[in-house]
Amino acid sequence: MRRVFWMALTLAVSSFLIFGALQLAPGDPASFLLSGRSATPEAIAAIRERYHLDEPFLAQYWHWLGGVLTGDFGRSVQFRSDVGGLIASRVPVTLTLIAMAFLLIMVAGPLLGLLSAARPGRVDRSILVAGSVAVATPSFVLGFVLIAIFSVNLGWFPSMGAGEGLADRLHHLTLPAIALALTFAGVLARVSRSAMIEQLGQEYVTVARGRGVPERTVLRRHVLRGAMTVIVTYGGLLVPGLLVSTVLVETTFGVNGLGQLLQYSVTVKDFPVVQALTLLTVALFVLANLVVDLLAPLADPRVRNR
Amino acid sequence: MLSIEDLTVRLPHTARPAVDGLSLTVAENETVGLVGESGSGKSLTSRAVLGLLPPKAEATGKIMMDGADVLAMNRAELRQHRTRSVAMIYQDPRAAISPFRRVGDFLTETIAMDRAAAAGLLETVGLRESHLRNRPHELSGGMLQRVVIAAALAGRPRLLLADEPTTALDVTTQAEIIALLRRLRVPGMLFVTHDLELAATICDRVYVMYAGRVMETRPTGELFRDPRHPYTAGLLAATPRLDELGTLPPAIPGRPPDLLAHLPGCPFAPRCPHVLDSCTAGVPGLVGGVACLRAEELCDERP
Amino acid sequence: MNTVVVRPGLRRLKGDGLRTAALVVIALLVLTAILAPLVAPADPDAIDLSATLAGPGGDHLLGTDASGRDLLSRVIHGARSGLLGPLGVVAISTVLGVLAGLTAAWHGGWVDTLLSRSMELVFAFPGLLLAMLVVAMYGPGQTGPMITLAVAYTPFVGRMVRGVARAEMGRPYIAAYRALGFGGLAICLRHLLPNIAPVILAQSTINFGYALLDLAGLSFLGLGVQPPAADWGAMINEGQTAVLMGALGPVLVPGVAIVLSVVAFNIVGESLADRVARR
């Protein structure tokens, strides 16, 4: 309960800051919202009306928050449409991209971590070095390398766009998902490795070996299972970071999802869109923390039954 | 059945072997005690019999189990050895069973068996079929130790290694577990403990170990009546007796040596009340079941 | 089980070669940034339309970009903004974080609660996101994102300083200084801070790598350093089209510079952290 309260408070304060940013922006909020274009007096009046700019700041915030809570994020000046609808239309692409990357991360990370933990020495060291390089490689640099190899040279994957229909979409999003996943997989591999090294030191792992349980089974049923709580917790917390990183990857691959929308909106100062996407990311951060807090104990029977 | 010949185990970054030239036998239908303070190498010895040495440990000598050398086994042979011929019971059952898995999974993870067989195993150790679905945290320490014993019996092993099987349990449960172990009638048992008194209640023969070496080995009755090695005598004197409750028995002065210390000659010499200069000159061999230069002499001195 | 005593220090040798290599890389980077005009073989902004997208070798050691500019010279000059930006982020966030962490640890009570909660709140805003929000307000550039990222990185330093400082304050020497009549500020600055400095240095070195990544990302998005300036992120932004034309060089050269720098800072940072942890 306490946790939920802090999360609600985090969200409330964040939304206040995000809305307040409008006041901090240089110039008159109304003309700022019109992206500095020379607008007609009527247009400015409409904006003032819509954002209640003639009322006190707190009242403005209250109106805006009320709108946000009912799905009304305001109007995009650039796209001449509702921000809510604009975002909703971009969600499926980004969601698919994140899901694909997440899958890659949750498979590759623990697997590499397990390999690293189970084979100390050369294998472990190579994975550690590869991991540090992975963590230091920007997704867009990897993205362009992938494009150069698999799109331009080999022609296996398209270099741009998000595709139509499921199969085509997965085909289009394969390279972006790999580019998005690499850094996070490197981080998760490192976390998994230390969790599994801890497991390997557990008495029940030694006991299982001493009972003649095959090494493969020991690693899967005992080591991996025991490290699962840590892996799931950490994996879940990576999701908000994935959303932020889609900005870079979608820009690299010309994928018209939320990330590209954010990049474009920031470039053209389409502030309502930026506000909405920022709030959405913060909300996802809070949500991921909440879900992980609630789910992680389920992986441990000792806590579950309490 | 089990015959350990001149086993030496060296651990990395240590000055002396943790197990040093140890020889030991367990015959058919015999329960043998391996007694020593913590750090004497007794647990390492029992784990070596399973072929379960810490990484980077170096072992020389022979561990012959029914004619096959454990130290020379390949992966498949070792698995067969661990599932079918030798099984171990551990000190802390709560650490020995993965908290994430059910009792039933633990019982059946080495050998394929049906539910009835698993339930039968539980009955032999005094548990019910319904316990199969329990998680380890739902059971008491004594019940968990019964589960560990049941699992050890799963492969019908010829030799049972019991490594301090009652140390982590309360007194009543200890007695129950000991009674259970006596009732089981496994062909052979190596009972590892720091408690000489406990070893006496269950073992036919006892090896007293100190700093990786056997100090004395005799049939239990003889050993208790007439300990020949000063270390055994010290251990016996340090055991609290029921008839002398209230007075603390005299402990052996000093502490067991750690693995970083070189020990020339008899390892017990620094703590021995009867030590002579010659004790540190060379390692005393086992003569008449005692590894002490002054065994005969001290025996004669006694009334 | 038998307790095995492992002599400490035997494992120390592992990784030392790597750390030395990383330190050399950092030293070379710094030198390159300072001496850029002297080291660079050509003018980084000199356009030569007769030699566009040239491959490595010949007149241009690492090739040229779509405008025929020498990539080696550009990447050398790029080390300046590449290192200055993160340096600013780390300097500001370290000062802010140490202030916040020490204040929270020293005062405790509601001050601690307020500062800790505020830092947790900032955690909810990833650095890149916060920087974009600010760019949307004030427009692209290097200063705005730098300050914003510094704010976003402050809790990482602050939380750690608070933890270490609290542990350190339980030790007798602090009480001794207090008994001698030293003021809180004096003790913090003269005695507490020097003792926790290694931890701060380790964290800040690691942060340097991440700040470099974030700033390069912003420049790549066209929201940080603006083309045609010779900046690694901006170079990648400009090099995108070349990739589709089959020339990876304009992206790969600054990309490798980024990866190399970040790996070097991470290795040094982590070996510092290891060393602190071992004490």
Side-chain angles (χ1 to χ4, degrees):
Chain A
M1 248 358 261
R2 211 181 129 77
R3 219 172 268 149
V4 176
F5 169 74
W6 280 116
M7 287 179 169
L9 191 69
T10 303
L11 270 182
V13 177
S14 306
S15 68
F16 188 76
L17 292 176
I18 291 166
F19 181 77
L22 179 61
Q23 302 293 320
L24 289 173
D28 173 52
S31 57
F32 181 72
L33 281 171
L34 287 170
S35 317
R37 284 191 272 176
S38 53
T40 57
E42 292 80 46
I44 291 190
I47 283 283
R48 298 198 78 85
E49 159 89 42
R50 188 181 165 90
Y51 283 86
H52 306 272
L53 289 177
D54 298 320
E55 293 177 39
F57 173 68
L58 279 178
Q60 292 175 31
Y61 171 64
W62 189 248
H63 286 296
W64 178 76
L65 189 67
V68 165
L69 290 177
T70 55
D72 176 12
F73 288 91
R75 251 186 105 69
S76 158
V77 184
Q78 282 296 325
F79 290 92
R80 297 180 190 286
S81 72
D82 280 338
V83 175
L86 197 60
I87 288 178
S89 69
R90 304 264 185 144
V91 164
V93 175
T94 300
L95 210 59
T96 316
L97 176 59
I98 290 181
M100 288 170 76
F102 190 67
L103 201 70
L104 283 174
I105 293 163
M106 292 309 274
V107 171
L111 221 64
L112 289 172
L114 185 66
L115 207 61
S116 214
R119 300 236 188 294
R122 200 181 295 172
V123 175
D124 181 29
R125 261 181 92 65
S126 335
I127 293 178
L128 274 180
V129 170
S132 346
V133 174
V135 171
T137 306
S139 51
F140 48 97
V141 171
L142 176 66
F144 287 124
V145 172
L146 291 175
I147 290 176
I149 297 173
F150 294 102
S151 304
V152 178
N153 276 335
L154 297 171
W156 290 355
F157 292 97
S159 64
M160 296 285 280
E164 300 286 327
L166 184 66
D168 194 33
R169 170 147 298 174
L170 294 181
H171 188 214
H172 273 82
L173 292 183
T174 302
L175 294 185
I178 295 172
L180 183 58
L182 183 78
T183 294
F184 295 89
V187 174
L188 192 62
R190 195 173 285 193
V191 172
S192 308
R193 174 180 177 271
S194 40
M196 298 210 219
I197 285 177
E198 199 232 312
Q199 285 296 315
L200 283 169
Q202 293 285 333
E203 173 82 352
Y204 58 74
V205 171
T206 315
V207 169
R209 283 178 176 159
R211 294 177 64 211
V213 178
E215 189 62 19
R216 213 172 247 279
T217 317
V218 172
L219 290 180
R220 204 176 58 230
R221 296 261 177 79
H222 294 270
V223 177
L224 192 60
R225 178 66 188 82
M228 221 38 165
T229 315
V230 176
I231 294 171
V232 167
T233 304
Y234 214 89
L237 294 179
L238 292 178
V239 173
L242 279 173
L243 179 62
V244 176
S245 287
T246 56
V247 179
L248 301 166
V249 174
E250 290 184 356
T251 306
T252 306
F253 287 91
V255 173
N256 59 338
L258 293 176
Q260 203 192 38
L261 177 66
L262 180 58
Q263 188 266 345
Y264 180 76
S265 307
V266 172
T267 310
V268 300
K269 296 191 176 183
D270 195 346
F271 210 64
V273 181
V274 178
Q275 280 179 317
L277 285 170
T278 308
L279 191 59
L280 204 69
T281 312
V282 174
L284 186 67
F285 176 89
V286 171
L287 189 72
N289 273 281
L290 186 67
V291 168
V292 161
D293 273 351
L294 293 176
L295 283 188
L298 292 187
D300 190 336
R302 285 164 297 185
V303 186
R304 187 165 54 205
N305 285 25
R306 245 175 239 157
Chain B
M1 166 162 40
L2 173 72
S3 158
I4 301 179
E5 289 158 35
D6 200 21
L7 175 69
T8 299
V9 182
R10 281 182 178 278
L11 297 174
H13 315 305
T14 55
R16 63 177 176 85
V19 175
D20 195 355
L22 177 129
S23 296
L24 176 155
T25 57
V26 179
E28 201 85 29
N29 296 319
E30 194 185 24
T31 298
V32 172
L34 187 56
V35 181
E37 290 169 284
S38 61
S40 61
K42 56 189 196 305
S43 287
L44 199 61
T45 305
S46 63
R47 290 192 179 212
V49 175
L50 271 182
L52 197 67
L53 287 167
K56 292 192 184 147
E58 286 171 37
T60 56
K62 276 184 180 159
I63 303 176
M64 306 300 290
M65 179 70 200
D66 288 327
D69 188 357
V70 177
L71 294 178
M73 285 180 178
N74 63 27
R75 244 167 198 260
E77 287 167 344
L78 210 51
R79 264 202 65 202
Q80 184 72 12
H81 170 69
R82 289 170 179 174
T83 45
R84 297 287 176 184
S85 59
V86 181
M88 187 144 166
I89 304 165
Y90 299 84
Q91 175 168 352
D92 182 1
R94 209 167 282 287
I97 308 180
S98 166
F100 301 106
R101 315 194 60 213
R102 291 177 196 285
V103 167
D105 300 331
F106 179 72
L107 283 181
T108 57
E109 77 181 337
T110 48
I111 291 161
M113 64 173 87
D114 58 16
R115 197 183 160 81
L121 275 178
L122 283 187
E123 264 161 44
T124 357
V125 298
L127 293 175
R128 288 186 311 277
E129 182 179 355
S130 61
H131 287 123
L132 281 175
R133 293 203 54 76
N134 278 119
R135 305 264 184 189
H137 69 275
E138 296 160 341
L139 302 181
S140 70
M143 289 163 105
L144 278 184
Q145 193 59 295
R146 286 165 194 269
V147 172
V148 172
I149 294 172
L153 297 176
R156 300 189 172 283
R158 303 242 307 133
L159 176 69
L160 204 56
L161 304 166
D163 183 3
E164 304 261 12
T166 60
T167 311
L169 307 174
D170 64 71
V171 184
T172 334
T173 323
Q174 274 189 19
E176 286 170 20
I177 295 291
I178 293 295
L180 172 63
L181 286 177
R182 296 177 75 136
R183 203 173 65 227
L184 287 176
R185 304 236 154 269
V186 179
M189 176 148 73
L190 183 64
F191 192 88
V192 179
T193 179
H194 65 281
D195 186 345
L196 204 49
E197 200 81 7
L198 181 63
T201 64
I202 191 168
C203 302
D204 307 317
R205 206 150 51 82
V206 170
Y207 288 82
V208 177
M209 233 180 135
Y210 185 80
R213 298 220 193 96
V214 172
M215 297 284 106
E216 180 163 9
T217 169
R218 317 252 300 287
T220 313
E222 256 180 58
L223 187 92
F224 266 75
R225 265 196 317 280
D226 173 29
R228 291 239 175 111
H229 197 285
Y231 177 60
T232 320
L235 270 187
L236 274 176
T239 317
R241 305 281 166 116
L242 275 177
D243 49 342
E244 295 169 14
L245 277 181
T247 55
L248 268 179
I252 307 175
R255 285 188 304 123
D258 68 32
L259 288 171
L260 295 178
H262 264 297
L263 299 169
C266 172
F268 188 59
R271 295 171 75 189
C272 184
H274 310 289
V275 65
L276 296 176
D277 285 348
S278 53
C279 286
T280 50
V283 181
L286 267 179
V287 180
V290 190
C292 177
L293 289 176
R294 304 186 67 195
E296 291 296 322
E297 191 187 332
L298 291 172
C299 194
D300 296 341
E301 273 174 26
R302 237 165 289 166
Chain C
M1 264 313 269
N2 295 337
T3 42
V4 183
V5 186
V6 179
R7 279 180 206 280
L10 283 174
R11 289 183 322 132
R12 287 286 290 278
L13 282 173
K14 187 184 138 194
D16 263 12
L18 216 57
R19 188 177 63 218
T20 312
L23 280 169
V24 169
V25 169
I26 293 177
L28 284 177
L29 276 171
V30 173
L31 275 179
T32 312
I34 296 172
L35 305 174
L38 299 176
V39 196
D43 177 356
D45 301 318
I47 291 173
D48 178 4
L49 292 177
S50 64
T52 58
L53 295 182
D59 283 349
H60 304 284
L61 203 59
L62 294 179
T64 60
D65 68 5
S67 311
R69 290 174 295 193
D70 182 53
L71 282 176
L72 178 60
S73 306
R74 286 183 73 69
V75 88
I76 285 174
H77 278 266
R80 293 187 151 183
S81 59
L83 295 185
L84 269 181
L87 188 66
V89 172
V90 164
I92 300 170
S93 65
T94 303
V95 170
L96 289 180
V98 166
L99 278 179
L102 280 185
T103 312
W106 190 263
H107 278 279
W110 67 270
V111 177
D112 184 20
T113 311
L114 183 73
L115 281 170
S116 300
R117 290 292 166 192
S118 313
M119 288 197 275
E120 269 172 46
L121 181 73
V122 180
F123 271 126
F125 291 86
L128 196 62
L129 184 76
L130 203 58
M132 281 191 285
L133 185 69
V134 169
V135 170
M137 290 156 61
Y138 298 101
Q142 200 175 11
T143 321
M146 192 175 84
I147 295 170
T148 319
L149 281 180
V151 171
Y153 280 38
T154 296
F156 290 96
V157 182
R159 185 177 54 171
M160 186 207 63
V161 168
R162 175 180 174 270
V164 184
R166 280 170 69 107
E168 197 75 9
M169 275 169 57
R171 295 178 45 182
Y173 77 94
I174 299 287
Y177 282 122
R178 266 189 176 163
L180 286 173
F182 282 92
L185 189 68
I187 298 177
C188 277
L189 291 184
R190 253 186 262 150
H191 305 290
L192 192 55
L193 200 53
N195 275 320
I196 60 176
V199 195
I200 301 170
L201 185 66
Q203 178 70 44
S204 295
T205 311
I206 294 173
N207 282 353
F208 193 102
Y210 289 112
L212 200 159
L213 280 177
D214 278 344
L215 286 170
L218 278 172
S219 296
F220 159 68
L221 291 174
L223 307 173
V225 179
Q226 295 296 299
D231 172 87
W232 296 339
M235 283 171 75
I236 295 176
N237 180 322
E238 285 189 286
Q240 319 185 39
T241 39
V243 174
L244 296 177
M245 293 156 72
L248 189 55
V251 164
L252 198 61
V253 170
V256 168
I258 294 172
V259 175
L260 204 63
S261 322
V262 176
V263 168
F265 277 99
N266 276 355
I267 288 175
V268 172
E270 264 161 39
S271 86
L272 282 173
D274 270 3
R275 208 186 260 193
V276 173
R278 262 203 289 271
R279 277 199 324 194

